[in-house]
Amino acid sequence: MQLGLSVSDSDVSSFTPLVVLELADDTKAEAITWLLNRIRDKQQNGGAELLVNQLLFPAQDDQKPNPNVFLVGSTLQRLLNGAEDVGLFKEFQDGTMRGFTYANRESFKDFNGEIFLSDAECQYIIKHELDTLRAKNEEHVPGYPKLKLYPGKSVVRRLQSKGVLIQYFPLHNKEDLKRLSFSWYKKFKLSFQPLDDIRHYFGEGLALYFGFLEYFTFALVPMALIGIPYYLFDWEDYDKYVLFAVFNLVWSTVFLEVWKRCSATLAYGWGTLSRKKAFEEPRAGFHGALGFNPVTGREEPVYPSSKRQLRIYLVSVPFVLLCLYLSFYVMMVYFDMEFWAINIYNENPDIATSILLFVPSIIYAVVIEIMNLLYRFAAEFLTDWENHRLESSFQNHLVLKVLVFNFVNCFASLFYIAFVMQDMVLLRQSLATLLITSQILNQVMEAFLPYWLQRRRNKKVHKRMRRLMGDKELPLLGQVQLETEMNTYLGTFDDYLEQFLLFGYVSLFSCVYPLAAVLVVLNNITEVYSDAFKMCHVFKRPFSEPATNIGVWQLAFETMSIIAVVTNCALIGLSPQMKAYFPESDTQLILIVVTIEHVLLAFKFILAFVIPDVPKHIQVNLAKLEFDSLEALKKRVSTHFLKKEP
């Protein structure tokens, strides 16, 4: 186990604090006592068997501190048992990744070393134990007669959904964070990211995102290297984009297939590839009439699937269609502005009117970002209102809603210009403006604005602590107070969405604007540093989330690559080069383009089938592990029956 912060303050016992738990400041004393006893109680009594201590902040002049902040830790013995409960995979002595068992702990590599369980793994185990802390015979939370409980109900989720539990989050390890920051973003260097260190500190889910971001950036380099000379030497010749479109088709297919192998290699090395998915508990916000879960046999809310489907198809789907209609309406307003700017330029071509040509696209790009943001809030509200039982189902429906709207909102105007207006000059100008403007806005909203707000919070906290304590340092108190006021990191959803849209700009239309890949490479390089900084210093440390791959986003990127095949084939069909071969027969040209498109799609699916998602050596290791598990099971069964024989 890797030790975290050393606590030696007089107001807490000497133990390693890993998780901060904050209750509402007006929480009833009976509820606090009951919750703490349940956290500390032994497992056989239904408790979590964790260590928990109250953290008392000194009185302040301007505001009363919350007295209900607690630090949660654990003994090494409890963490090792928890590692087995959550199905943690660790490296065995023979180099394979195996599910950890306490009975075979000595057979695992580095078990007796300084580091066996990382901070992220310890905090994940504590989160799992808190989440699975269940009500026994309590009918309600002590002190809250209306806060009903029933046997098997998750205590923490119930308190969280009713606002009694404000938040609980993993505490940063200042020494580890300093080392990670130095190797990750404090030195500007052209090298790979320390993915193992990121995984060690933040967990597999976040490490996979940064692995994908790195891979995507490097994969764009060939596109950028081809795009620069193409831009310089053929910029004025709008006809010669056929070869670039063909290369675009091959690249978008190979890019995703190779990523699957890279993802599998990372997941295997981190022990999540063969890790069994844990049984999903109901979401904290899920509600319904009390019933029984047929799998666990426990009482829990039950909500009819028919009601959920009615909400989806009678409310959510019409709302999404209405938003798409508004998006199309805004797009037509943008084209009216574009024609107005073009007419002014044609009447009086000078520097001012040439600059005016870009104004409609800039305004439209800003409006797109605002509409995407507003729609995101509406989509989250609707998806929550649909009352999905599982978090995975909630995320899938949210991703689908957001992707459909963002795709139409960001790309509809480009499709209209390309295939209705067939104006490649305007397409190039619009794509460049949309891409550059969206990147600038994203950097401001995701990096600079949160950084500025967090710096203001930091100054207030440091000033408050200096005023109260003078030169006396209370590093733990200051750190906890600072982190409780930090923004909560909401996951990789927005980060993957941004990369999805950038992938769309490159794979769909970069043949008419070859510098698109160059701009995305530059954006992603800054994205690595800005995302790394905000993860380390702007947001609360997120809990580790085991991940095998990038999940539903893999399907989203693959869908975009299929659309890219159709789009690039259509652009090839519209090129003067192709039309020159069929000057009198548009039908023949269309048939040939459609045939080429079908051949390329068939090639894409054959390539996806031929290239295995998991490298051969990993397949062999997984098969060997399965064989060893079966043999061990046979031996245990044989031993059991031999003992029974007289």
Side-chain angles (χ1 to χ4, degrees):
M1 173 184 174
Q2 183 183 13
L3 294 180
L5 286 167
S6 176
V7 184
S8 58
D9 302 70
S10 58
D11 56 340
V12 293
S13 301
S14 182
F15 81 114
T16 304
L18 293 168
V19 173
V20 177
L21 188 147
E22 183 181 10
L23 301 173
D25 57 3
D26 58 350
T27 304
K28 301 290 179 63
E30 307 98 287
I32 296 174
T33 303
W34 168 76
L35 177 62
L36 297 185
N37 287 337
R38 291 299 311 277
I39 294 175
R40 291 169 177 150
D41 204 1
K42 294 187 178 299
Q43 282 186 288
Q44 54 264 37
N45 299 330
E49 205 170 336
L50 299 173
L51 306 175
V52 56
N53 282 306
Q54 188 174 14
L55 188 63
L56 297 175
F57 294 99
Q60 302 175 16
D61 298 331
D62 53 345
Q63 63 182 29
K64 182 182 177 182
N66 186 352
N68 300 325
V69 178
F70 303 89
L71 297 176
V72 183
S74 176
T75 62
L76 178 58
Q77 172 77 30
R78 182 68 186 90
L79 289 172
L80 293 174
N81 289 329
E84 182 174 352
D85 293 339
V86 301
L88 206 65
F89 269 60
K90 303 296 287 184
E91 188 175 359
F92 215 59
Q93 294 289 7
D94 62 0
T96 60
M97 302 298 294
R98 298 172 183 255
F100 177 78
T101 57
Y102 186 76
N104 295 329
R105 59 191 181 279
E106 298 291 343
S107 300
F108 286 86
K109 187 178 180 181
D110 296 328
F111 176 75
N112 294 315
E114 292 184 5
I115 299 175
F116 183 69
L117 295 178
S118 68
D119 267 2
E121 289 169 336
C122 295
Q123 290 162 341
Y124 173 73
I125 292 168
I126 289 179
K127 180 180 185 295
H128 174 266
E129 299 302 334
L130 291 175
D131 286 344
T132 54
L133 190 65
R134 304 190 179 284
K136 296 186 290 185
N137 300 318
E138 302 94 339
E139 295 182 356
H140 60 83
V141 175
Y144 296 90
K146 294 183 179 180
L147 204 54
K148 301 296 182 184
L149 289 174
Y150 43 85
K153 174 68 177 177
S154 173
V155 171
V156 168
R157 290 174 183 268
R158 184 63 169 163
L159 294 175
Q160 199 172 17
S161 64
K162 294 302 179 181
V164 178
L165 174 60
I166 297 176
Q167 61 180 339
Y168 66 114
F169 59 90
L171 195 63
H172 273 295
N173 183 316
K174 291 194 287 188
E175 292 301 320
D176 284 354
L177 186 62
K178 187 182 297 184
R179 285 193 292 268
L180 176 62
S181 300
F182 186 77
S183 64
W184 195 5
Y185 71 88
K186 283 192 174 180
K187 290 194 307 182
F188 183 81
K189 55 186 185 304
L190 295 176
S191 64
F192 294 104
Q193 296 178 86
L195 295 181
D196 287 330
D197 294 338
I198 298 169
R199 173 252 172 179
H200 188 86
Y201 193 81
F202 288 111
E204 294 82 13
L206 201 62
L208 267 179
Y209 161 70
F210 281 102
F212 177 79
L213 178 60
E214 177 180 275
Y215 171 80
F216 183 28
T217 306
F218 277 103
L220 282 167
V221 171
M223 292 278 287
L225 292 177
I226 295 175
I228 292 174
Y230 186 89
Y231 174 88
L232 294 175
F233 299 115
D234 287 329
W235 178 246
E236 297 301 330
D237 192 345
Y238 302 124
D239 302 342
K240 295 182 180 179
Y241 59 78
V242 174
L243 290 177
F244 199 89
V246 172
F247 178 76
N248 206 347
L249 291 171
V250 177
W251 174 84
S252 62
T253 299
V254 175
F255 159 73
L256 291 172
E257 293 307 314
V258 176
W259 163 248
K260 289 181 185 177
R261 294 171 62 85
C262 294
S263 173
T265 302
L266 289 173
Y268 176 76
W270 295 338
T272 57
L273 187 61
S274 53
R275 186 172 176 178
K276 293 181 180 179
K277 190 175 182 180
F279 180 78
E280 279 196 85
E281 298 289 340
R283 294 176 56 244
F286 177 67
H287 59 273
L290 193 61
F292 283 92
N293 186 316
V295 178
T296 63
R298 291 195 294 258
E299 284 186 298
E300 68 175 43
V302 176
Y303 190 77
S305 177
S306 57
K307 285 187 178 181
R308 184 179 300 111
Q309 297 301 319
L310 286 174
R311 289 187 174 193
I312 291 173
Y313 291 109
L314 296 184
V315 178
S316 296
V317 172
F319 175 79
V320 173
L321 293 176
L322 175 63
C323 290
L324 294 179
Y325 170 77
L326 292 175
S327 177
F328 279 114
Y329 181 80
V330 172
M331 181 186 74
M332 299 314 296
V333 172
Y334 155 65
F335 284 126
D336 288 340
M337 293 173 59
E338 196 71 63
F339 295 145
W340 168 76
I342 291 173
N343 289 333
I344 291 179
Y345 176 77
N346 290 335
E347 291 176 1
N348 184 23
D350 55 24
I351 296 177
T353 54
S354 62
I355 295 174
L356 184 65
L357 289 174
F358 293 93
V359 172
S361 296
I362 295 174
I363 294 175
Y364 184 52
V366 174
V367 171
I368 283 177
E369 294 299 321
I370 295 173
M371 290 177 66
N372 286 342
L373 186 63
L374 294 175
Y375 177 82
R376 171 68 183 276
F377 289 120
E380 287 181 349
F381 173 81
L382 272 180
T383 310
D384 186 62
W385 178 72
E386 289 166 6
N387 198 24
H388 295 276
R389 178 181 176 274
L390 302 178
E391 184 65 28
S392 59
S393 176
F394 174 88
Q395 290 296 331
N396 289 340
H397 281 80
L398 177 62
V399 167
L400 181 61
K401 289 186 185 72
V402 173
L403 284 187
V404 169
F405 180 79
N406 276 260
F407 180 84
V408 172
N409 202 30
C410 294
F411 300 116
S413 61
L414 301 178
F415 279 103
Y416 187 87
I417 295 171
F419 303 118
V420 177
M421 299 172 61
Q422 298 186 14
D423 187 342
M424 297 304 158
V425 179
L426 181 58
L427 176 62
R428 182 178 291 109
Q429 174 190 315
S430 299
L431 175 61
T433 308
L434 288 175
L435 184 56
I436 295 171
T437 307
S438 65
Q439 287 179 346
I440 293 173
L441 290 175
N442 283 330
Q443 290 294 336
V444 171
M445 296 300 293
E446 290 186 10
F448 295 109
L449 183 60
Y451 170 69
W452 179 73
L453 292 174
Q454 190 56 44
R455 281 200 65 182
R456 291 189 61 188
R457 292 193 195 99
N458 292 358
K459 286 181 179 179
K460 287 182 180 179
V461 171
H462 291 316
K463 184 178 179 181
R464 193 184 308 146
M465 296 303 294
R466 280 198 304 269
R467 187 174 67 250
L468 290 169
M469 307 310 300
D471 296 332
K472 184 180 178 182
E473 290 189 359
L474 282 179
L476 181 61
L477 289 175
Q479 181 187 352
V480 172
Q481 189 168 31
L482 183 65
E483 292 186 28
T484 54
E485 297 180 10
M486 284 182 171
N487 291 328
T488 301
Y489 181 65
L490 299 177
T492 54
F493 185 100
D494 290 317
D495 298 311
Y496 278 121
L497 178 61
E498 181 184 352
Q499 296 305 311
F500 171 79
L501 295 176
L502 293 175
F503 176 71
Y505 284 124
V506 172
S507 61
L508 294 175
F509 299 108
S510 66
C511 62
V512 297
Y513 184 59
L515 286 185
V518 179
L519 293 175
V520 174
V521 168
L522 295 175
N523 174 83
N524 282 3
I525 291 174
T526 59
E527 187 81 12
V528 167
Y529 286 90
S530 63
D531 284 355
F533 177 82
K534 73 182 183 184
M535 289 309 307
C536 292
H537 297 289
V538 175
F539 291 112
K540 292 184 181 75
R541 183 178 183 177
F543 279 107
S544 169
E545 286 295 333
T548 305
N549 48 47
I550 61 174
V552 68
W553 292 103
Q554 181 72 37
L555 178 61
F557 278 92
E558 289 176 352
T559 303
M560 180 68 83
S561 70
I562 293 173
I563 298 173
V565 171
V566 179
T567 303
N568 280 276
C569 286
L571 287 172
I572 291 171
L574 290 175
S575 68
Q577 288 172 292
M578 290 296 293
K579 288 182 177 181
Y581 289 106
F582 306 95
E584 299 177 357
S585 178
D586 289 340
T587 304
Q588 190 175 2
L589 175 59
I590 293 172
L591 289 174
I592 289 177
V593 170
V594 171
T595 302
I596 294 173
E597 173 219 314
H598 280 64
V599 170
L600 288 171
L601 285 174
F603 168 74
K604 178 180 177 63
F605 291 123
I606 291 171
L607 195 64
F609 177 77
V610 170
I611 299 177
D613 294 347
V614 181
K616 184 67 176 177
H617 71 280
I618 294 179
Q619 293 182 26
V620 172
N621 287 340
L622 293 176
K624 179 183 176 182
L625 180 60
E626 185 176 358
F627 175 77
D628 291 344
S629 300
L630 290 174
E631 289 297 307
L633 180 61
K634 288 178 183 178
K635 288 180 181 179
R636 284 199 297 268
V637 172
S638 300
T639 304
H640 176 74
F641 280 107
L642 285 172
K643 287 181 179 179
K644 283 193 171 185
E645 290 181 359

PDB file of all heavy atoms in Angstrom, residues 419-430:
ATOM      1  N   PHE A 419     -23.151  19.815 -50.459  1.00  0.00           N
ATOM      2  CA  PHE A 419     -23.972  18.973 -51.337  1.00  0.00           C
ATOM      3  C   PHE A 419     -25.225  19.643 -51.877  1.00  0.00           C
ATOM      4  O   PHE A 419     -25.832  19.140 -52.813  1.00  0.00           O
ATOM      5  CB  PHE A 419     -24.355  17.688 -50.598  1.00  0.00           C
ATOM      6  CG  PHE A 419     -23.166  16.916 -50.111  1.00  0.00           C
ATOM      7  CD1 PHE A 419     -22.965  16.694 -48.761  1.00  0.00           C
ATOM      8  CD2 PHE A 419     -22.221  16.440 -51.004  1.00  0.00           C
ATOM      9  CE1 PHE A 419     -21.851  15.996 -48.306  1.00  0.00           C
ATOM     10  CE2 PHE A 419     -21.109  15.744 -50.563  1.00  0.00           C
ATOM     11  CZ  PHE A 419     -20.921  15.524 -49.212  1.00  0.00           C
ATOM     12  N   VAL A 420     -25.622  20.780 -51.297  1.00  0.00           N
ATOM     13  CA  VAL A 420     -26.759  21.527 -51.842  1.00  0.00           C
ATOM     14  C   VAL A 420     -26.246  22.727 -52.631  1.00  0.00           C
ATOM     15  O   VAL A 420     -26.568  22.892 -53.814  1.00  0.00           O
ATOM     16  CB  VAL A 420     -27.719  21.973 -50.721  1.00  0.00           C
ATOM     17  CG1 VAL A 420     -28.862  22.819 -51.309  1.00  0.00           C
ATOM     18  CG2 VAL A 420     -28.297  20.770 -49.985  1.00  0.00           C
ATOM     19  N   MET A 421     -25.423  23.559 -51.973  1.00  0.00           N
ATOM     20  CA  MET A 421     -24.861  24.710 -52.670  1.00  0.00           C
ATOM     21  C   MET A 421     -23.693  24.316 -53.571  1.00  0.00           C
ATOM     22  O   MET A 421     -23.427  24.994 -54.564  1.00  0.00           O
ATOM     23  CB  MET A 421     -24.398  25.745 -51.645  1.00  0.00           C
ATOM     24  CG  MET A 421     -25.510  26.278 -50.749  1.00  0.00           C
ATOM     25  SD  MET A 421     -24.885  27.327 -49.398  1.00  0.00           S
ATOM     26  CE  MET A 421     -24.123  28.636 -50.339  1.00  0.00           C
ATOM     27  N   GLN A 422     -22.967  23.243 -53.193  1.00  0.00           N
ATOM     28  CA  GLN A 422     -21.797  22.761 -53.932  1.00  0.00           C
ATOM     29  C   GLN A 422     -20.772  23.883 -54.155  1.00  0.00           C
ATOM     30  O   GLN A 422     -20.216  24.059 -55.236  1.00  0.00           O
ATOM     31  CB  GLN A 422     -22.215  22.135 -55.266  1.00  0.00           C
ATOM     32  CG  GLN A 422     -23.105  20.917 -55.101  1.00  0.00           C
ATOM     33  CD  GLN A 422     -23.401  20.210 -56.402  1.00  0.00           C
ATOM     34  OE1 GLN A 422     -22.754  20.455 -57.428  1.00  0.00           O
ATOM     35  NE2 GLN A 422     -24.381  19.325 -56.376  1.00  0.00           N
ATOM     36  N   ASP A 423     -20.538  24.629 -53.072  1.00  0.00           N
ATOM     37  CA  ASP A 423     -19.594  25.742 -53.102  1.00  0.00           C
ATOM     38  C   ASP A 423     -18.383  25.357 -52.248  1.00  0.00           C
ATOM     39  O   ASP A 423     -18.391  25.494 -51.020  1.00  0.00           O
ATOM     40  CB  ASP A 423     -20.270  26.998 -52.558  1.00  0.00           C
ATOM     41  CG  ASP A 423     -19.403  28.248 -52.714  1.00  0.00           C
ATOM     42  OD1 ASP A 423     -18.180  28.101 -52.919  1.00  0.00           O
ATOM     43  OD2 ASP A 423     -19.946  29.358 -52.618  1.00  0.00           O
ATOM     44  N   MET A 424     -17.334  24.852 -52.886  1.00  0.00           N
ATOM     45  CA  MET A 424     -16.175  24.366 -52.146  1.00  0.00           C
ATOM     46  C   MET A 424     -15.365  25.499 -51.502  1.00  0.00           C
ATOM     47  O   MET A 424     -14.727  25.298 -50.472  1.00  0.00           O
ATOM     48  CB  MET A 424     -15.265  23.544 -53.067  1.00  0.00           C
ATOM     49  CG  MET A 424     -15.942  22.296 -53.598  1.00  0.00           C
ATOM     50  SD  MET A 424     -16.547  21.247 -52.253  1.00  0.00           S
ATOM     51  CE  MET A 424     -17.807  20.286 -53.084  1.00  0.00           C
ATOM     52  N   VAL A 425     -15.405  26.690 -52.104  1.00  0.00           N
ATOM     53  CA  VAL A 425     -14.697  27.830 -51.518  1.00  0.00           C
ATOM     54  C   VAL A 425     -15.352  28.230 -50.196  1.00  0.00           C
ATOM     55  O   VAL A 425     -14.676  28.432 -49.176  1.00  0.00           O
ATOM     56  CB  VAL A 425     -14.676  29.019 -52.496  1.00  0.00           C
ATOM     57  CG1 VAL A 425     -13.966  30.212 -51.858  1.00  0.00           C
ATOM     58  CG2 VAL A 425     -14.005  28.631 -53.802  1.00  0.00           C
ATOM     59  N   LEU A 426     -16.684  28.337 -50.206  1.00  0.00           N
ATOM     60  CA  LEU A 426     -17.410  28.667 -48.984  1.00  0.00           C
ATOM     61  C   LEU A 426     -17.279  27.548 -47.948  1.00  0.00           C
ATOM     62  O   LEU A 426     -17.186  27.811 -46.742  1.00  0.00           O
ATOM     63  CB  LEU A 426     -18.884  28.917 -49.301  1.00  0.00           C
ATOM     64  CG  LEU A 426     -19.776  29.304 -48.113  1.00  0.00           C
ATOM     65  CD1 LEU A 426     -19.257  30.560 -47.432  1.00  0.00           C
ATOM     66  CD2 LEU A 426     -21.228  29.475 -48.565  1.00  0.00           C
ATOM     67  N   LEU A 427     -17.252  26.289 -48.405  1.00  0.00           N
ATOM     68  CA  LEU A 427     -17.086  25.152 -47.494  1.00  0.00           C
ATOM     69  C   LEU A 427     -15.744  25.243 -46.771  1.00  0.00           C
ATOM     70  O   LEU A 427     -15.662  25.030 -45.558  1.00  0.00           O
ATOM     71  CB  LEU A 427     -17.188  23.836 -48.273  1.00  0.00           C
ATOM     72  CG  LEU A 427     -16.948  22.554 -47.471  1.00  0.00           C
ATOM     73  CD1 LEU A 427     -17.980  22.403 -46.359  1.00  0.00           C
ATOM     74  CD2 LEU A 427     -16.970  21.333 -48.389  1.00  0.00           C
ATOM     75  N   ARG A 428     -14.705  25.572 -47.533  1.00  0.00           N
ATOM     76  CA  ARG A 428     -13.374  25.693 -46.939  1.00  0.00           C
ATOM     77  C   ARG A 428     -13.341  26.825 -45.909  1.00  0.00           C
ATOM     78  O   ARG A 428     -12.816  26.665 -44.805  1.00  0.00           O
ATOM     79  CB  ARG A 428     -12.357  25.953 -48.046  1.00  0.00           C
ATOM     80  CG  ARG A 428     -10.917  26.048 -47.569  1.00  0.00           C
ATOM     81  CD  ARG A 428      -9.976  26.251 -48.737  1.00  0.00           C
ATOM     82  NE  ARG A 428      -9.903  25.055 -49.561  1.00  0.00           N
ATOM     83  CZ  ARG A 428     -10.434  24.954 -50.776  1.00  0.00           C
ATOM     84  NH1 ARG A 428     -11.098  25.972 -51.293  1.00  0.00           N
ATOM     85  NH2 ARG A 428     -10.318  23.851 -51.471  1.00  0.00           N
ATOM     86  N   GLN A 429     -13.925  27.948 -46.270  1.00  0.00           N
ATOM     87  CA  GLN A 429     -13.931  29.099 -45.369  1.00  0.00           C
ATOM     88  C   GLN A 429     -14.739  28.805 -44.105  1.00  0.00           C
ATOM     89  O   GLN A 429     -14.305  29.106 -42.985  1.00  0.00           O
ATOM     90  CB  GLN A 429     -14.521  30.308 -46.094  1.00  0.00           C
ATOM     91  CG  GLN A 429     -14.710  31.539 -45.209  1.00  0.00           C
ATOM     92  CD  GLN A 429     -15.513  32.616 -45.911  1.00  0.00           C
ATOM     93  OE1 GLN A 429     -15.276  32.920 -47.081  1.00  0.00           O
ATOM     94  NE2 GLN A 429     -16.485  33.182 -45.212  1.00  0.00           N
ATOM     95  N   SER A 430     -15.905  28.186 -44.254  1.00  0.00           N
ATOM     96  CA  SER A 430     -16.766  27.890 -43.104  1.00  0.00           C
ATOM     97  C   SER A 430     -16.122  26.866 -42.184  1.00  0.00           C
ATOM     98  O   SER A 430     -16.166  27.002 -40.954  1.00  0.00           O
ATOM     99  CB  SER A 430     -18.134  27.375 -43.583  1.00  0.00           C
ATOM    100  OG  SER A 430     -18.791  28.343 -44.355  1.00  0.00           O
TER     101      SER A 430
END
